[in-house]
Amino acid sequence: FGDISGGASWQAVITADPANAVAGNGYFVNTTSAAFTITLPTSASIGDFISFIDYAGTFDTNNLTIGRNGHNIQGDASDLTVATERAGFTLVYVDATQGWLLQNN
């Protein structure tokens, strides 16, 4: 099973809280000015994926938070805080128990 993020529809660079992320999209996230949250979709189906890339290498100083929007992330009922400079990752939805899982970590 290969890297499914290659099929993402990459969006323009975002610099503040957008509307809910959309399955199948990739986001270049610029937290140079401030930390912010990207919220996962309200509904999800098995195999849905969303990719994120630290555009400016600033997740370590201005964290990105992935809002879970009622779904688990990695089996946990908590938002995901990303504090690693130059992080790039894809979340894939599996089911209600595990929710969104990291494809690459």
Side-chain angles (χ1 to χ4, degrees), residues 16-40:
D17 297 359
N20 289 0
V22 175
N25 283 352
Y27 297 90
F28 296 103
V29 183
N30 184 348
T31 61
T32 299
S33 297
F36 62 88
T37 298
I38 297 177
T39 304
L40 293 171

Side-chain angles (χ1 to χ4, degrees), residues 3-89:
D3 181 358
I4 59 177
S5 64
S9 175
W10 289 95
Q11 305 303 299
V13 175
I14 55 175
T15 58
D17 297 359
N20 289 0
V22 175
N25 283 352
Y27 297 90
F28 296 103
V29 183
N30 184 348
T31 61
T32 299
S33 297
F36 62 88
T37 298
I38 297 177
T39 304
L40 293 171
T42 304
S43 61
S45 299
I46 189 169
D48 283 354
F49 69 93
I50 303 171
S51 297
F52 305 91
I53 292 179
D54 182 0
Y55 170 83
T58 54
F59 285 0
D60 57 336
T61 53
N62 290 321
N63 302 160
L64 169 66
T65 299
I66 305 296
R68 67 188 199 92
N69 204 1
H71 300 286
N72 287 342
I73 300 175
Q74 297 281 95
D76 190 18
S78 299
D79 292 343
L80 173 66
T81 300
V82 184
T84 303
E85 181 180 336
R86 292 289 179 201
F89 59 97

